[in-house]
Amino acid sequence: MSKTISAFLIASLLCLHLVGQTKKELDQLAIKKMCGCFEVTFNFAETFNYSKDSLYKPSKTKVDKGLEWAQLVTDTDNKIVIQHLLQVGDPKDPYIVKHWRQDWLFENTDLYTYNGDNNWTFIEKPIKEVKGQWTQKVYQVDDSPRYEGSATWVHVDGKSYWENTTPAPLPRREYTTRADYNITLRGNRHEITADGWVHDQDNSKLIRTPNQKDVVLAKEKGYNTYVRVPDERCQGAINWWSTHKEKWATVRAVWDKVYKNNQDLTLKEKVDHKVLYKHLFDEELTSKLEIEKTINAFVVKNPKDNSKN
């Protein structure tokens, strides 16, 4: 009887182990389905506002379309990195824009949470809180931080999705036209579909003031669809990445050194009257020493010294 029980326990444990592996493999497969060439439609509309100002003007509804290549950069058991590239203009001679990047880390405990004023607060979560979860770390076009969140991929009823709510800086479409709020509380849902994937967002526009409760100024709906098309349509972006990937690997390595300090991070908005991406997009900037010098110039060593140069 004892041998039977032991055999049953061993079989049960093995079964549980395999089920765990299968779940993680499903997660990895879902994440990597976000790679490839996509026709993208970006949709954003302000839905409700709570301003007491009778002259308040909501943001205009914004709809944009584009062709985007999502390049698989890193594919390991616990980390998947996807770099997005926008391809615009004449398909025969397209212009390539290095777009956002998303890193997916399994059971990650270290997060940088946006807290307004170009400041990210370092948070270390207990391992039990992130068991089985994936952190999505989203980066700006210059690979500086944007927002991060941890949650579990769900595979049920033929659906695969991941959803999380986390604070983030204002998107470009907003911070170039708005200054009446300072944080976007992003409700992100990534769902894999039969023809690509959907980035579904329910966002809140927050006014955050130190030592006070956040004020919700308005709500926003975002619905971005990624429809898969043949990879050859993104050949221009594929070629661009092949030419420039070494430089951006260096940029990521420099940023990794900054992030590994595991402490609150504050960045200057400008150095020498230019924002960071304009420095890094300079084709002449290629050496590791100059890239490191440039990025470190934006890192505020003393958070009180957040001056604009």
Side-chain angles (χ1 to χ4, degrees):
M1 178 63 72
S2 60
K3 290 183 178 180
T4 302
I5 294 174
S6 296
F8 175 79
L9 288 173
I10 292 172
S12 297
L13 290 171
L14 179 60
C15 181
L16 288 171
H17 178 63
L18 291 174
V19 168
Q21 282 187 319
T22 301
K23 169 61 171 59
K24 187 176 180 182
E25 289 170 355
L26 286 173
D27 297 346
Q28 294 166 330
L29 180 61
I31 294 168
K32 287 186 283 189
K33 281 186 176 179
M34 290 188 281
C35 297
C37 188
F38 300 93
E39 286 183 342
V40 188
T41 302
F42 302 98
N43 297 276
F44 291 94
E46 192 166 302
T47 53
F48 304 99
N49 78 74
Y50 307 97
S51 175
K52 296 179 181 179
D53 183 353
S54 61
L55 300 179
Y56 176 83
K57 292 184 178 180
S59 296
K60 293 181 180 179
T61 296
K62 189 172 182 63
V63 179
D64 278 328
K65 295 179 181 291
L67 192 64
E68 186 150 303
W69 173 250
Q71 172 71 46
L72 181 63
V73 176
T74 301
D75 182 14
T76 63
D77 193 43
N78 293 323
K79 183 176 182 179
I80 299 171
V81 176
I82 304 172
Q83 175 63 59
H84 292 252
L85 303 169
L86 279 174
Q87 181 174 304
V88 297
D90 184 352
K92 296 180 181 178
D93 186 25
Y95 181 71
I96 309 303
V97 180
K98 182 180 178 292
H99 206 195
W100 62 296
R101 182 181 117 225
Q102 52 175 328
D103 291 7
W104 292 87
L105 279 63
F106 186 66
E107 295 185 346
N108 166 67
T109 58
D110 299 339
L111 291 96
Y112 283 88
T113 302
Y114 188 65
N115 195 37
D117 300 321
N118 242 20
N119 173 266
W120 287 260
T121 302
F122 177 74
I123 296 174
E124 186 173 4
K125 290 193 171 186
I127 185 63
K128 65 180 180 180
E129 286 190 16
V130 298
K131 189 69 175 176
Q133 294 186 351
W134 290 82
T135 295
Q136 184 202 39
K137 292 176 175 273
V138 173
Y139 298 90
Q140 311 268 21
V141 297
D142 49 28
D143 290 321
S144 61
R146 188 154 179 75
Y147 62 87
E148 309 181 358
S150 183
T152 304
W153 272 91
V154 177
H155 311 284
V156 64
D157 295 337
K159 296 180 179 181
S160 292
Y161 63 89
W162 177 97
E163 54 188 11
N164 172 264
T165 299
T166 193
L170 275 60
R172 184 180 300 275
R173 68 180 184 279
E174 289 282 274
Y175 76 70
T176 55
T177 59
R178 300 280 296 264
D180 53 346
Y181 73 102
N182 58 354
I183 286 182
T184 302
L185 187 64
R186 299 183 65 121
N188 294 303
R189 178 184 172 105
H190 295 266
E191 181 169 347
I192 308 304
T193 63
D195 58 1
W197 60 285
V198 171
H199 186 189
D200 191 359
Q201 302 172 51
D202 288 293
N203 302 328
S204 297
K205 300 178 180 183
L206 303 183
I207 302 170
R208 178 167 293 177
T209 305
N211 303 316
Q212 295 186 31
K213 186 177 180 180
D214 289 347
V215 175
V216 180
L217 180 66
K219 297 279 190 177
E220 175 187 71
K221 182 67 182 178
Y223 196 79
N224 303 336
T225 58
Y226 291 73
V227 178
R228 189 177 298 279
V229 296
D231 285 358
E232 51 264 31
R233 287 191 56 190
C234 289
Q235 192 59 52
I238 295 170
N239 294 342
W240 187 94
W241 184 250
S242 179
T243 300
H244 295 85
K245 63 182 180 181
E246 295 303 325
K247 171 180 177 174
W248 290 100
T250 301
V251 172
R252 293 195 305 276
V254 172
W255 274 118
D256 283 346
K257 289 175 65 176
V258 174
Y259 300 139
K260 285 178 181 177
N261 288 326
N262 290 350
Q263 60 186 20
D264 295 354
L265 176 63
T266 301
L267 299 178
K268 297 177 183 178
E269 291 186 18
K270 292 182 179 180
V271 170
D272 295 332
H273 310 291
K274 291 198 298 186
V275 294
L276 178 57
Y277 79 85
K278 289 189 175 181
H279 287 275
L280 292 181
F281 280 15
D282 185 343
E283 295 286 344
E284 301 299 316
L285 185 67
T286 56
S287 76
K288 180 179 179 181
L289 183 62
E290 287 303 312
I291 290 172
E292 190 165 26
K293 180 180 177 181
T294 299
I295 291 174
N296 285 337
F298 278 82
V299 177
V300 178
K301 305 305 180 184
N302 180 348
K304 294 181 180 179
D305 180 25
N306 193 19
S307 58
K308 299 178 185 178
N309 291 340

